[in-house]
Amino acid sequence: MKLFYVLCVLAVLLAPASALDREAFTFTKYDLDVRIESGQQRLGVRGQITLRNDSNAPQKTVSLQISSTLDWKSIKLGGNAVQFVSQPYTSDVDHTGVLSEAIITLPQEIPAKGKIELDIGYEGVIPLDATRLTRIGVPEELARHNDWDQIGTSSTAVRGIGYVAWYPVAMPSANLSEGNNLFETLGRWKTREASSTMQIHFDVVGDSANAPPELIVDSEPCKSVSLEAGRGQSLISDCSFEPLGATVPAFVIANYSLLNPSTLDIHYFPEHKAAAENYELASQLALPFVKEWFGTPRRKLKIVELADAKASPFESGDMLLTPLNIDSRIAGLTVVHQLTHSAFQSPRLWIYEGLAHFAQAAYLEQQSGRPAALDFMAQHRTALVDAEKSLAPERSSSASANESLISTSREELYRSKAMYVWWMLRDMIGEETLKKALALYRPDQDKEPSYVQRLIEAQSKRELEWFFDDWVYRDRGLPDFRVESAYPRHLLGGGYVVTITIENLGDAGAQVPVTLVMEGGQVSRLVEVHSKSKSVMRIEAVGTPQEIILNDGSVPESDMTNNKFKINPSAN
Ligand SMILES: [Zn+2]
């Protein structure tokens, strides 16, 4: 009897927890009044949010999560306060590693597809905090350059979910130390929220001693309503994200100066004028290259300086947050990326971001040669190889299409892998052909994943289904090439012909460069090797053949250690 009682109590205690589905609701609409007091690092928010039950079951509990340095003040439904419990909830979607979670018990169940509108209020501070990184062993200094978000007295820069939960969200706890856990959780949230809208009325209270600061948001241009003088300068601005798409709402406040070249807005701290001018010059130099590849830049993007000179850059919407660098090479790479975005629109991330990263590599190649471009791409390679390795277990299951380039929300894939895909396509079909295909691209006609494949095939007269299938439509991992054999044979008129068999042990095929090193020089050819297949090629050599080197780095491979092959001279 006693045991039965204990079990009953346990069941009652566990029931609400198990009934809480943190992914049941989509937050379809945010309408927020955001008051920022930079001097106190304070953020105060009042507003309405609309939630839709996208689960198959009726829901009686709702979770609302904000950063742990913010506190829930009120939650109302239909004008009446609702019952809620506020608890700390460990999760790495926020820089502090913890969320303030309000668990609301609704007066009645919300049926599947039903909506509720809640009036909410919360406030607190947003200080610099890198706890989620330092607690897993990242050195403090490095962690702060990554998690640089804060409302600060002299400058403010705050990114949304994935960095700071400054607007309410709901998702299961995500853990940075558990492989892909954080990326997957954030990816599911962003996918759910892509067609949601957010309207923000900002009220920034400055201090009366200084000139009013500037507020920059990564949305469509905001409407600055008024600038009120009086007890402290107040800056009022209405901004909207309609819809959110892939944008992570972020805001920046500081006393910036503005350089306004025809294609980019550069917001910089007045003391760094020389660096800003460096970016202006770089954009003038890079413009002809970008025009030739992607057409004339159509919309103006913003480069906004971050106060921390070692901060890792962040890109969202039409805004790039980055420290400014006096190194012209870095300035050049940055502006090429941004100008490509302003010239080439696409609703598909792998095309939009992939091409901007590809443009950086191609620009470097034009300026300093192919090895410099390959070195630049190699900086992306390790992250990509690691990502593909960690995705290998899912690949065998039916989930393999989830991380394809057309549906992934992982940066290593839609940035790094996509960059390689464009580079390989150019090597396969030629630069002029790829430029022609890109010139015909229309974002509003890109309704099918195969649209871009058909454009490229029409220009190149080449069948590329196998390549798109292995790299774009599915996540098949990376190729792994090896030389199975290389037999040199004397030619009657002098010189040699070498018969080379290349094997691809991986599940993705590619056209890979093969270099034959011989006495007095070397010669390179391209060979197409499909997944789990072999290709045989013959290369003529004037001098004695010595070695085969596979892949100059233009194809990302899971294992580069098996790419050299010594040719046995006695086999002559
Ligand atoms: Zn970009």
Side-chain angles (χ1 to χ4, degrees):
M1 187 62 197
K2 199 174 175 191
L3 179 66
F4 177 69
Y5 172 78
V6 171
L7 284 176
C8 284
V9 170
L10 271 178
V12 169
L13 285 174
L14 289 173
S18 59
L20 176 58
D21 175 358
R22 291 186 170 87
E23 292 188 309
F25 288 96
T26 303
F27 291 43
T28 57
K29 188 167 174 247
Y30 292 84
D31 194 348
L32 306 176
D33 277 334
V34 174
R35 184 179 166 86
I36 297 162
E37 291 167 61
S38 308
Q40 282 74 47
Q41 301 195 293
R42 289 197 72 78
L43 177 89
V45 179
R46 298 283 177 277
Q48 287 87 43
I49 48 174
T50 307
L51 277 60
R52 184 181 62 223
N53 178 5
D54 279 341
S55 74
N56 296 321
Q59 300 291 332
K60 191 134 197 297
T61 44
V62 176
S63 150
L64 299 181
Q65 302 163 341
I66 49 175
S67 180
S68 65
T69 54
L70 303 170
D71 293 311
W72 287 105
K73 292 296 171 198
S74 76
I75 301 173
K76 287 180 182 172
L77 175 65
N80 302 314
V82 290
Q83 197 192 330
F84 73 92
V85 201
S86 183
Q87 61 167 24
Y89 184 63
T90 304
S91 179
D92 289 336
V93 298
D94 184 77
H95 62 160
T96 63
V98 183
L99 296 161
S100 294
E101 180 177 55
I103 297 175
I104 307 161
T105 308
L106 297 168
Q108 60 210 40
E109 284 183 336
I110 303 296
K113 298 294 158 219
K115 283 188 175 180
I116 44 166
E117 193 181 295
L118 297 169
D119 289 297
I120 51 166
Y122 56 92
E123 58 192 52
V125 291
I126 300 183
L128 187 79
D129 191 322
T131 307
R132 64 168 174 174
L133 294 172
T134 50
R135 75 177 173 204
I136 57 164
V138 177
E140 177 92 28
E141 174 82 3
L142 193 63
R144 284 165 165 258
H145 295 320
N146 190 73
D147 279 355
W148 38 254
D149 310 76
Q150 65 170 319
I151 295 179
T153 320
S154 59
S155 79
T156 287
V158 178
R159 297 167 286 184
I161 197 60
Y163 303 92
V164 183
W166 62 268
Y167 48 88
V169 297
M171 66 196 91
S173 172
N175 192 331
L176 262 175
S177 59
E178 278 173 32
N180 300 324
N181 184 251
L182 178 63
F183 304 107
E184 280 169 9
T185 308
L186 283 172
R188 284 201 305 274
W189 168 259
K190 286 180 192 167
T191 307
R192 269 194 290 153
E193 292 295 302
S195 45
S196 301
T197 61
M198 186 181 280
Q199 252 125 35
I200 309 171
H201 178 80
F202 281 101
D203 184 350
V204 181
V205 183
D207 84 69
S208 51
N210 289 316
E214 192 181 351
L215 167 76
I216 306 168
V217 182
D218 60 343
S219 64
E220 290 294 303
C222 300
K223 288 189 199 82
S224 281
V225 180
S226 65
L227 199 62
E228 287 169 5
R231 280 193 311 140
Q233 305 268 9
S234 182
L235 173 70
I236 294 170
S237 198
D238 281 310
C239 307
S240 61
F241 299 85
E242 293 182 277
L244 277 168
T247 309
V248 173
F251 60 88
V252 183
I253 303 161
N255 285 96
Y256 285 114
S257 296
L258 175 66
L259 257 185
N260 213 344
S262 53
T263 46
L264 287 169
D265 278 344
I266 304 166
H267 301 263
Y268 65 97
F269 294 109
E271 60 271 29
H272 297 155
K273 187 153 195 255
E277 284 170 347
N278 195 27
Y279 282 71
E280 183 183 29
L281 175 65
S283 73
Q284 284 159 10
L285 293 174
L287 191 57
F289 170 87
V290 172
K291 275 186 177 168
E292 203 188 304
W293 264 102
F294 308 103
T296 307
R298 284 156 224 257
R299 56 186 192 126
K300 242 181 166 192
L301 270 71
K302 299 170 247 191
I303 295 182
V304 182
E305 184 176 10
L306 286 171
D308 173 4
K310 288 184 178 168
S312 38
F314 171 78
E315 180 188 27
S316 179
D318 63 353
M319 179 162 87
L320 171 71
L321 296 174
T322 180
L324 295 183
N325 206 299
I326 46 161
D327 183 336
S328 314
R329 182 178 169 275
I330 292 173
L333 287 174
T334 305
V335 300
V336 162
H337 189 104
Q338 296 310 108
L339 291 176
T340 304
H341 281 332
S342 41
F344 199 95
Q345 281 289 313
S346 171
R348 299 187 187 276
L349 270 180
W350 81 271
I351 297 178
Y352 183 68
E353 286 301 342
L355 277 176
H357 288 281
F358 161 77
Q360 293 179 301
Y363 187 55
L364 260 184
E365 183 186 39
Q366 189 199 59
Q367 300 212 303
S368 319
R370 187 170 168 101
L374 294 175
D375 278 351
F376 166 79
M377 295 205 298
Q379 294 166 13
H380 286 258
R381 196 179 144 263
T382 315
L384 170 58
V385 170
D386 289 349
E388 291 286 12
K389 208 178 280 173
S390 71
L391 289 166
E394 311 176 10
R395 212 171 287 135
S396 47
S397 73
S398 58
S400 72
N402 293 346
E403 297 299 342
S404 71
L405 283 188
I406 42 174
S407 56
T408 188
S409 56
R410 295 197 55 150
E411 297 200 51
E412 302 95 324
L413 303 186
Y414 72 73
R415 291 182 187 277
S416 305
K417 185 175 184 174
M419 170 193 71
Y420 277 110
V421 164
W422 288 108
W423 186 273
M424 289 188 286
L425 277 169
R426 189 198 59 164
D427 277 359
M428 285 158 79
I429 66 171
E431 188 159 313
E432 290 314 310
T433 312
L434 182 58
K435 280 179 189 165
K436 277 184 203 153
L438 292 176
L440 294 169
Y441 181 90
R442 299 287 173 272
D444 54 333
Q445 286 170 27
D446 190 347
K447 307 280 186 218
E448 300 288 323
S450 62
Y451 168 72
V452 78
Q453 179 201 332
R454 282 184 278 114
L455 279 184
I456 294 172
E457 283 185 335
Q459 287 303 310
S460 65
K461 311 273 185 294
R462 239 178 110 162
E463 199 270 314
L464 293 165
E465 180 77 25
W466 65 273
F467 181 82
F468 276 83
D469 210 43
D470 285 2
W471 291 89
V472 180
Y473 307 145
R474 292 189 175 277
D475 176 28
R476 293 230 158 97
L478 301 173
D480 177 15
F481 302 106
R482 65 180 277 267
V483 182
E484 189 188 72
S485 62
Y487 297 110
R489 183 167 57 82
H490 266 299
L491 289 173
L492 281 177
Y496 300 80
V497 64
V498 186
T499 306
I500 307 162
T501 306
I502 310 285
E503 183 176 17
N504 180 357
L505 304 164
D507 289 317
Q511 179 176 290
V512 65
V514 178
T515 302
L516 169 65
V517 182
M518 66 188 104
E519 215 172 63
Q522 58 179 51
V523 56
S524 293
R525 296 273 184 279
L526 291 164
V527 64
E528 195 174 295
V529 199
H530 290 206
S531 60
K532 296 268 188 278
S533 309
K534 293 176 189 177
S535 290
V536 179
M537 68 192 302
R538 286 176 185 81
I539 303 183
E540 287 190 23
V542 245
T544 312
Q546 294 168 332
E547 191 182 21
I548 308 288
I549 301 171
L550 274 179
N551 195 359
D552 58 358
S554 53
V555 179
E557 246 190 279
S558 55
D559 181 5
M560 296 278 279
T561 62
N562 54 358
N563 287 16
K564 286 190 177 179
F565 186 90
K566 287 262 177 269
I567 297 173
N568 182 0
S570 66
N572 296 2

